[in-house]
Amino acid sequence: MTDFKQQLIDKIKEGDLEMKPRWHFVVQTAFFLAGIILSALIVVYLLSFITFVLQQNGAWFAPGYGWQGLMLFLLASPWIIIGFSFLFLGLLVILAHRYSFCYERPFLYTLLGVCSIALMGAYLAERAEFHPRMHVFLNQNNVPGLAPMYKKAETRPAAIAAGTISSFTENGFMLKTESDEMIRIVFKQNTKLAPEWKNEGINIMVFGNRASNTIIAIGVRPEREFLKTNRQQRATNTVETRR
Amino acid sequence: MPDNVESDEEIASKVQSGDVEAFGEIINRYQDKLRRYARHFLSAEHEVEDLVQDVFSKAYINLRSFDSDRRFSPWIYRIAHNTFVNEIRRKSRYGFNFIDADTILPILAAPETSDADAINSELDAELKIHLAALPPKYREVLVLFYFESLSYQEIAAVLKIPQSTVGVRMNRGRTKLREIYDQEINKPTS
């Protein structure tokens, strides 16, 4: 037993065993905290980006139109980004679990706490219109990698169309889309129409089943104002850049 | 404890300031405790000796991360726990998971009953004999509580689990131990 102790003391005296300096632990803690903050920011960014994508492509409003709308919502969801969000959320939970304020409480509380903070952050980012502003900025500066990612977010599934009413037909109307395409919209008996869908000068969104240039509508609603403004602003910027 | 006896935390502070001989005192105080702790998880004596030496090496290397305002024993037991668990994982004898089912949900631990002391002293004897038959997660909290005299709070810090989970594991561990004991005494003698 004495050998055991003496061996270690000898190792220390000979310099084979050295204490790590205090700054090593300070840097380690700083890295951990930076990792937590960075993971939290990435999670907030990704969650708010998911909301942005769903609002841009219109699928955000689809669940209001029954199971068909719900299917549309699921199909149009950015699953790769959702997967990455879960990955970073997991990383955040693992990093936070190192600290006593997390491991001293049941894991469910940590998970709920982290999710609540992430959702709150994503909500604030959405309220501050972070992504629409980013989209305009990236489009103006043509930032490689990110600008195409935001551009892609605008791609609508075939079953969702947006634009203005060109003319009314017997059982629906003709829709002039953002890309000047004409689509025939046909109402069913149970098509849900928002009260203001006929208002003059507003952009509308149509949800339904598409076959060629016809959509059998399950719902019609006005497009959110900020999305329209945002799109118009980007269009103006693009024209100015071309000049 | 008499006033002239230095606390573990004071000795650790001395080592942090470069007093190598003071580390010898830490070894004196903890080597038997850590050997006993290790023996509850590892059977081969040479493994126990190597791993305990490894624990002290890690403790020395990382001593500057120890905050002397806190208690020293949970800190060194945490190093020991990690070292032994890693060894067990390496050998894949037992599965230690990052998330255990009884750490997920909030649990209210049952209060100790008035006959707890009598039961505990009776259990002390049972523990020594039947501990090896318990699953590791129950065995570890019982070992830390009964043999190493750590509080629930300190065990929670060593194992990085909620205190309520320590209480639940203690209760379940005792119950399982009682079952093992009952099975033993009811076993027909051939």
Side-chain angles (χ1 to χ4, degrees):
Chain A
M1 286 205 186
T2 321
D3 281 344
F4 174 94
K5 177 180 149 190
Q6 204 51 50
Q7 269 178 18
L8 275 171
I9 300 289
D10 289 346
K11 268 189 184 176
I12 294 168
K13 283 181 176 169
E14 284 161 18
D16 292 339
L17 210 59
E18 281 181 34
M19 240 189 276
K20 283 179 188 164
R22 195 173 289 275
W23 64 258
H24 171 93
F25 300 103
V26 174
V27 170
Q28 198 177 42
T29 307
F31 266 112
F32 258 98
L33 288 176
I36 288 177
I37 292 166
L38 198 66
S39 304
L41 289 176
I42 291 173
V43 169
V44 167
Y45 179 87
L46 290 177
L47 287 181
S48 54
F49 188 69
I50 291 166
T51 318
F52 172 74
V53 169
L54 290 169
Q55 287 185 347
Q56 284 288 313
N57 68 21
W60 183 257
F61 310 99
Y65 303 113
W67 68 267
Q68 222 177 328
L70 192 68
M71 283 302 290
L72 220 164
F73 175 82
L74 292 175
L75 289 171
S77 294
W79 288 106
I80 295 174
I81 297 168
I82 292 172
F84 273 108
S85 308
F86 277 113
L87 203 71
F88 280 98
L89 203 64
L91 182 68
L92 188 57
V93 170
I94 290 170
L95 290 175
H97 205 74
R98 178 188 155 94
Y99 295 96
S100 59
F101 61 85
C102 284
Y103 71 70
E104 277 177 358
R105 289 166 180 80
F107 182 75
L108 186 71
Y109 289 177
T110 308
L111 197 65
L112 287 177
V114 166
C115 288
S116 306
I117 291 167
L119 288 174
M120 183 73 80
Y123 173 76
L124 290 176
E126 203 257 331
R127 296 301 298 169
E129 296 184 5
F130 172 77
H131 287 288
R133 289 170 207 270
M134 264 298 262
H135 195 176
V136 172
F137 171 79
L138 294 169
N139 196 45
Q140 275 172 351
N141 297 286
N142 207 13
V143 180
L146 286 174
M149 187 175 93
Y150 275 77
K151 187 82 192 149
K152 204 180 166 194
E154 282 184 341
T155 315
R156 294 185 196 282
I160 300 174
T164 49
I165 297 171
S166 166
S167 60
F168 289 96
T169 60
E170 200 179 312
N171 55 354
F173 59 88
M174 294 301 292
L175 182 82
K176 189 181 177 189
T177 69
E178 303 123 317
S179 53
D180 288 337
E181 190 187 1
M182 293 299 280
I183 299 178
R184 182 184 164 82
I185 308 298
V186 179
F187 292 159
K188 294 194 293 181
Q189 254 186 340
N190 56 354
T191 302
K192 281 187 184 174
L193 300 168
E196 63 272 50
W197 75 278
K198 260 185 178 176
N199 288 4
E200 212 173 301
I202 63 160
N203 263 37
I204 55 163
M205 296 173 83
V206 180
F207 304 83
N209 295 320
R210 185 166 182 164
S212 177
N213 270 1
T214 303
I215 290 180
I216 312 292
I218 55 169
V220 179
R221 57 160 290 139
E223 191 176 18
R224 271 178 75 171
E225 199 52 38
F226 86 81
L227 293 176
K228 184 186 159 193
T229 317
N230 198 243
R231 196 168 288 120
Q232 281 168 347
Q233 202 174 342
R234 282 198 309 279
T236 316
N237 288 332
T238 312
V239 172
E240 280 172 4
T241 315
R242 276 180 195 153
R243 277 179 194 162
Chain B
M1 196 185 279
D3 286 346
N4 57 349
V5 177
E6 282 181 303
S7 68
D8 294 345
E9 294 73 29
E10 284 167 336
I11 297 171
S13 278
K14 277 185 171 179
V15 184
Q16 282 175 335
S17 333
D19 185 348
V20 176
E21 294 301 331
F23 191 65
E25 182 55 26
I26 287 180
I27 298 174
N28 282 343
R29 290 187 184 189
Y30 280 93
Q31 60 180 336
D32 289 341
K33 289 179 179 180
L34 293 181
R35 277 197 192 98
R36 187 174 54 197
Y37 183 38
R39 279 189 201 111
H40 289 294
F41 301 94
L42 303 150
S43 50
E45 195 55 32
H46 70 275
E47 276 182 345
V48 169
E49 205 63 14
D50 288 349
L51 286 174
V52 170
Q53 194 160 2
D54 198 22
V55 171
F56 282 116
S57 299
K58 284 177 185 167
Y60 183 78
I61 291 168
N62 294 294
L63 201 64
R64 286 209 175 102
S65 72
F66 169 66
D67 175 2
S68 53
D69 290 337
R70 295 178 174 229
R71 281 200 60 196
F72 182 75
S73 62
W75 183 81
I76 199 163
Y77 275 111
R78 173 76 196 156
I79 296 175
H81 164 84
N82 284 343
T83 308
F84 302 152
V85 165
N86 285 343
E87 180 62 15
I88 293 166
R89 266 196 198 132
R90 197 177 64 78
K91 292 179 171 178
S92 302
R93 269 192 220 159
Y94 305 112
F96 274 84
N97 302 319
F98 168 67
I99 300 165
D100 203 335
D102 54 15
T103 63
I104 295 173
L105 294 167
I107 316 154
L108 288 174
E112 294 277 314
T113 54
S114 56
D115 60 346
D117 285 347
I119 294 170
N120 288 349
S121 59
E122 198 184 316
L123 272 167
D124 260 6
E126 289 174 36
L127 266 172
K128 284 178 184 142
I129 307 163
H130 302 296
L131 211 53
L134 277 181
K137 69 176 183 181
Y138 300 125
R139 193 192 316 159
E140 195 164 22
V141 287
L142 291 172
V143 165
L144 290 170
F145 186 77
Y146 287 106
F147 295 102
E148 311 309 332
S149 306
L150 263 60
S151 67
Y152 277 26
Q153 195 184 359
E154 288 168 342
I155 297 171
V158 170
L159 304 178
K160 293 213 168 182
I161 55 174
Q163 270 190 57
S164 56
T165 305
V166 175
V168 167
R169 287 188 187 176
M170 285 286 293
N171 286 337
R172 287 185 191 157
R174 284 173 185 148
T175 310
K176 280 184 187 288
L177 207 60
R178 171 75 64 190
E179 284 167 9
I180 295 166
Y181 176 73
D182 288 345
Q183 276 172 7
E184 279 293 315
I185 57 166
N186 293 329
K187 206 184 269 180
T189 46
S190 53

